[in-house]
Amino acid sequence: MDVLGKSDIYTIDDIYALPEGKRAELIDGQIYYMAPPSRTHQKLLHFFDRTIGNYIQNNYEQCEVYPAPFAVFLNKDDINYVEPDISVICDTSKLNEKGCYGPPDWIIEIVSPGNKPMDYFTKLFKYRTAGVREYWIVDPSKNQILVYRFEQETMEQYSFGENVPVGIYEGFSIKVE
């Protein structure tokens, strides 16, 4: 049994029924509770939101960037709901007032000590199979960024301080200091 008194398959209705202030994600009907983010996590989140937002504003007006908490109904079903740290959506028809229905083009997750397996394995698989084009795993404890470009079937590793090319935008790279 959990907070909701259930032990079976959960749906988006269960996410919306959580107590005020309780955040969780739903993957294949299982609830994963989220701890409050650290200061480092929030600094990185703000950096990516600002950097990507400025680039989009100056170059690709049809795309939009959303920092967490922002609802992504990944598979357009009622058993998958995630709140990626950064979501970039170029097909704005996927957007409504509740969030994004379908996969964003680019997702960035900033790893926290308690969620490493989720970001490195569970979400990697879910994002790839849902149709996300590019997925970055930013790990402040390792000062590294793993970049998965699913369309090209590539994975590259970068260190903080290196220019990391953005696959969905030619000529755009980001350097995390």
Side-chain angles (χ1 to χ4, degrees):
M1 292 279 174
D2 72 357
V3 170
L4 298 174
K6 290 176 64 172
S7 59
D8 52 346
I9 299 297
Y10 296 90
T11 68
I12 289 168
D13 290 338
D14 295 312
I15 292 291
Y16 285 117
L18 289 173
E20 185 73 28
K22 190 77 150 166
R23 287 183 55 215
E25 293 180 306
L26 181 67
I27 297 179
D28 295 331
Q30 297 301 306
I31 288 183
Y32 297 90
Y33 294 99
M34 300 165 68
S38 69
R39 182 176 153 263
T40 298
H41 183 281
Q42 290 304 94
K43 280 181 71 172
L44 285 165
L45 179 69
H46 178 68
F47 167 78
F48 282 113
D49 182 36
R50 186 180 66 241
T51 302
I52 297 165
N54 288 341
Y55 181 80
I56 288 172
Q57 182 176 2
N58 294 325
N59 296 279
Y60 292 89
E61 293 81 15
Q62 75 274 16
C63 296
E64 297 184 20
V65 60
Y66 293 94
F70 179 73
V72 173
F73 305 92
L74 200 55
N75 296 352
K76 298 182 189 175
D77 59 25
D78 70 342
I79 60 168
N80 287 283
Y81 166 97
V82 292
E83 292 183 1
D85 289 315
I86 295 288
S87 300
V88 177
I89 299 105
C90 296
D91 178 358
T92 56
S93 71
K94 294 179 181 180
L95 298 170
N96 70 18
E97 285 306 308
K98 287 192 172 189
C100 178
Y101 285 81
D105 293 271
W106 177 20
I107 288 177
I108 298 174
E109 293 285 7
I110 302 163
V111 177
S112 298
N115 72 350
K116 284 182 187 244
M118 178 69 83
D119 292 335
Y120 278 99
F121 302 107
T122 307
K123 287 184 177 179
L124 171 65
F125 175 77
K126 287 306 290 184
Y127 293 160
R128 182 178 62 81
T129 57
V132 172
R133 295 169 56 201
E134 186 161 347
Y135 175 42
W136 289 20
I137 302 173
V138 178
D139 193 333
S141 70
K142 296 179 179 180
N143 289 330
Q144 84 174 14
I145 303 168
L146 295 179
V147 175
Y148 292 88
R149 294 188 183 94
F150 297 128
E151 293 174 320
Q152 290 79 28
E153 298 183 4
T154 63
M155 188 279 286
E156 296 172 320
Q157 180 177 321
Y158 297 89
S159 296
F160 284 17
E162 291 184 279
N163 282 316
V164 182
V166 177
I168 68 166
Y169 300 127
E170 191 170 325
F172 179 36
S173 64
I174 298 175
K175 183 190 289 188
V176 178
E177 298 294 343

